[in-house]
Amino acid sequence: MDEKKTENVIGAMVLGLADAVLRDTENQAPEKGQAAAAIALLRHEPGMPIEQMRRALGLSHSATVRLIDRLVADDLVVRRPSASDRRAVALHLTEAGDTRCDAILSSRFERIAGALQGLDPAERETYRLLTEKLLSNFVEDLDHAYSVCRLCDLSACPDCPVACSLRNKV
């Protein structure tokens, strides 16, 4: 087995698919960059504080605040007082934000489904199981998990391998 070829082919697939997913989800968001991921993260965790959002998106605090300001101005996100910390602000999707999130996640799903259409059902299941195994070894900590899953549809993954991996690391 030629491991370098395996790594090279997998690297090309991962990068190409990631680029396509990011491009497609950005096209459903109000702006390029991390807006789609921010919206999807708030679907995943309503009430997320700005600091957690910042770490998940890999942005500075000021860049995250500016992004949230724009999403608030677009009526996609609202700020509310945090129930657990008086100093923190909890971020929530509005109804329009929830609708936008549906479009973002749908475009992600369609792109990935298209990439997998060449596999038969058994191959798809094998690929899913292998990918879950790789994901569970890949994720380092909670911040990394948020980053990896920033465009995930939580409802599609009730036994999330990333969440299970984090529980097993504790």
Side-chain angles (χ1 to χ4, degrees), residues 11-103:
M13 175 63 185
V14 168
L15 189 57
L17 187 55
D19 289 346
V21 166
L22 291 174
R23 184 178 53 252
D24 291 355
T25 57
E26 281 181 343
N27 288 338
Q28 298 302 319
E31 63 183 62
K32 301 294 182 203
Q34 296 285 19
I39 291 167
L41 280 166
L42 291 177
R43 163 78 63 80
H44 181 73
E45 188 171 322
M48 178 180 279
I50 288 176
E51 177 57 21
Q52 183 66 55
M53 178 72 69
R54 179 198 73 74
R55 291 192 313 263
L57 298 178
L59 298 174
S60 69
H61 180 77
S62 59
T64 306
V65 170
R66 287 191 304 272
L67 172 60
I68 298 304
D69 286 346
R70 292 189 302 273
L71 294 175
V72 167
D74 288 338
D75 193 37
L76 300 173
V77 172
V78 293
R79 291 179 171 100
R80 297 186 186 140
S82 171
S84 61
D85 183 352
R86 292 182 314 154
R87 300 165 295 167
V89 172
L91 304 171
H92 296 269
L93 291 178
T94 63
E95 188 175 322
D98 205 48
T99 299
R100 185 67 66 108
C101 189
D102 288 340

Side-chain angles (χ1 to χ4, degrees), residues 13 17 20-21 24 106-119 124:
M13 175 63 185
L17 187 55
V21 166
D24 291 355
S106 179
S107 69
R108 175 185 176 269
F109 174 81
E110 289 171 13
R111 174 58 73 170
I112 295 168
L116 297 174
Q117 74 183 21
L119 302 178
R124 287 173 68 111

